[in-house]
Amino acid sequence: MHVEPTGPVSDPPEALTTPSLKRPQDDERGDVLSASKRVKPEPAEAVAEETGEDAEGGEPGPDTTEKADKREGTKKSQKRKGKKGKDKEYARTRRRGTRPEGEEAPKPESGEPKAPRLPKRPCALLIGFCGDGYNGMQIQPDPKVRTIEGVLFDALIKVGAVSQDNSDNPTKVKLGRAARTDAGVHAAGNVVSMKLITVIPDLVAKINQELPPEIRLWSIIRVQNSFNARTTCDSRKYTYFFPSYLMIPPKPGSGLWNTLKAQGAECAPHPFWENADASATPQDDLKRKRAYRITPEQLAALREAAQKYEGSHNFHNFTVGRDFRDRSCQRFLKSIEISDPAVYGDTEWIAVMLHGQSFMLHQMYGPRQVFVPKMPALGLLLEYPIFESYNRRVAAINAKLQPGDPEYRTPIDFEVHRAQLDEFKQNFIYAKMRSIEDQFGIFDGWIRSIDAYAGHDLEYLNPKGIIPQSAVIKRGEFRNNPFREKKRFDATSFPVGGAGDAAAAGSLEGEESSEEEETQLPLDKEELADLDG
């Protein structure tokens, strides 16, 4: 079954609010864990699970009530401790009855009969979203925490794709996702897997009517019973956008410039700074930076450097909480493509497409640990996950079937929605991204925070391409003047009607010196696994 989308992409909202930057604490493994530990189904239920045709809702039949009561007495609430020490309880709910499809349940005390039971099927929901104003992709136990999945789940309940009996706990319908995105991060495509009631006419259109315009459902695809969005996914594509003026070397006289000069590794004179006015303000520099255009030689050098990261490498320096010896740091990047620069407004932008099997949070070589600053979150976009192995498997089955056959499974392919994806990205992601940079100069603020640093942590950013011993970080060893990450660069949304470029750039210097160092809390294995995406 393949439910096609209907209707055009809506216009972007006029104003979006600033999201909270709390990281979701729930993890994907919790979905699988809760589902795997639920009560063993009765024979009729086991048949339903095997065929993927579970029936929704209902009360326990007379032959199962006693067993259900006994099971109920043995259940205990499951507790997980978050990274900040807050206990969260997930009440385990008992399995509902196995009333036949279409049969009405006995009338409850209110006297009103419950709706007939409807079958639910394993499905893949292909969605896209602008992450502004959301606390990430993954649904949270607290309904006050606004997430992409939370809003989607509510829409599914409203149209009847998820029954009221299952509306209190998304694990009942085996909710999962192919890639977890952090607060404010966008996705042109992502996949949510779950069991849905699909007999509703015009289901995709009805769901989109209930969703806000910054979240779109491209299609619903009936999948095999064993399908899991995260574990079945082969690889993912991300794009990172940044202004080409980030390729300009440190400003002469800045902290990083002086540090590199002191160790004999200063950058060669650059035309951009040679022609600069010595009395220029940060606002003056930013105006000139936006008029800067990368040279063909610089672009070629960037592409050559990117190729060195293709293949299998240890990316322990590009994440948090992991040691070089941790085998999970070994990741395979299938390709890195750097597009030709494009000018929007006054600024030239560069797009880097990264296609990898999986990615860690923030994602050099060798066992030495060095500090790698995170680039601004504003430029990050999940293009879509890829399911090559699954598509090959269903293609072999489909070769013997007709599209209308109940066993026929449509491949998962976002490219069939290319026109809609491109329109959505332009209206809701790219335009917003460029507008924020034009107004607040986020990338300029980030690169100036790099240039202003006068400690040892970034001494490996030298033209010789070597890592001096002074830049190596040793566990448990005190570091004098460590580089401090700025939380403002984790944001992707800012107050509407805020200060313009000049005021934002002019006030940045004080903000850089006033913020405290962001502390990285220790993570356990499950939390580390949840950072993959």
Side-chain angles (χ1 to χ4, degrees), residues 180-447:
R180 187 192 68 84
T181 57
D182 290 332
V185 176
H186 319 300
N190 202 353
V191 170
V192 173
S193 58
M194 61 190 303
K195 290 190 173 184
L196 288 183
I197 299 172
T198 59
V199 295
I200 304 167
D202 301 321
L203 181 56
V204 172
K206 289 181 178 178
I207 294 173
N208 276 325
Q209 289 175 359
E210 297 294 338
L211 289 171
E214 68 271 14
I215 303 177
R216 292 292 88 186
L217 175 62
W218 307 126
S219 62
I220 298 176
I221 296 177
R222 174 76 161 86
V223 294
Q224 293 180 326
N225 297 341
S226 61
F227 182 87
N228 177 285
R230 183 174 65 86
T231 59
T232 310
C233 178
D234 293 308
S235 60
R236 301 161 180 87
K237 284 186 176 181
Y238 283 86
T239 296
Y240 192 84
F241 297 88
F242 65 92
S244 61
Y245 66 69
L246 293 190
M247 301 296 296
I248 300 173
K251 184 176 183 177
S254 65
L256 181 59
W257 189 88
N258 289 331
T259 298
L260 295 178
K261 182 180 180 180
Q263 61 169 287
E266 71 271 21
C267 300
H270 192 274
F272 182 87
W273 295 120
E274 287 181 337
N275 301 326
D277 183 352
S279 62
T281 65
Q283 298 94 309
D284 296 331
D285 286 344
L286 177 56
K287 186 175 181 179
R288 293 181 58 244
K289 286 178 180 178
R290 287 175 171 160
Y292 177 78
R293 303 295 180 255
I294 189 172
T295 65
E297 293 77 16
Q298 277 185 308
L299 185 62
L302 180 61
R303 286 171 171 160
E304 182 181 358
Q307 289 180 354
K308 298 181 183 298
Y309 288 86
E310 294 180 345
S312 182
H313 300 289
N314 191 317
F315 288 95
H316 72 106
N317 275 320
F318 289 80
T319 189
V320 294
R322 301 197 193 189
D323 185 79
F324 171 79
R325 294 164 293 185
D326 189 338
R327 295 181 61 184
S328 66
C329 297
Q330 199 77 12
R331 299 297 167 110
F332 180 74
L333 277 179
K334 303 183 74 171
S335 65
I336 302 178
E337 299 176 7
I338 300 177
S339 303
D340 291 335
V343 177
Y344 297 96
D346 297 330
T347 307
E348 182 180 70
W349 291 76
I350 299 174
V352 181
M353 172 82 77
L354 301 103
H355 182 189
Q357 285 185 335
S358 60
F359 296 87
M360 299 181 291
L361 182 68
H362 312 154
Q363 186 148 12
M364 208 158 282
Y365 306 125
R368 291 176 295 179
Q369 182 178 355
V370 297
F371 179 80
V372 180
K374 301 191 302 290
M375 293 187 73
L378 180 63
L380 184 61
L381 165 69
L382 169 63
E383 289 288 346
Y384 54 76
I386 299 171
F387 297 82
E388 293 176 341
S389 300
Y390 174 80
N391 288 345
R392 286 196 298 267
R393 186 163 66 247
V394 298
I397 298 174
N398 292 342
K400 305 175 183 178
L401 305 171
Q402 296 298 320
D405 192 286
E407 298 302 319
Y408 187 92
R409 297 291 179 265
T410 303
I412 298 176
D413 183 11
F414 280 93
E415 288 300 327
V416 300
H417 306 291
R418 172 48 57 192
Q420 291 173 294
L421 265 63
D422 288 344
E423 182 182 359
F424 181 80
K425 287 194 293 186
Q426 288 295 336
N427 290 343
F428 286 89
I429 299 175
Y430 295 160
K432 180 73 174 179
M433 186 185 301
R434 295 191 291 263
S435 175
I436 291 175
E437 166 59 21
D438 288 344
Q439 185 178 9
F440 295 96
I442 297 301
F443 287 94
D444 178 56
W446 179 78
I447 197 63

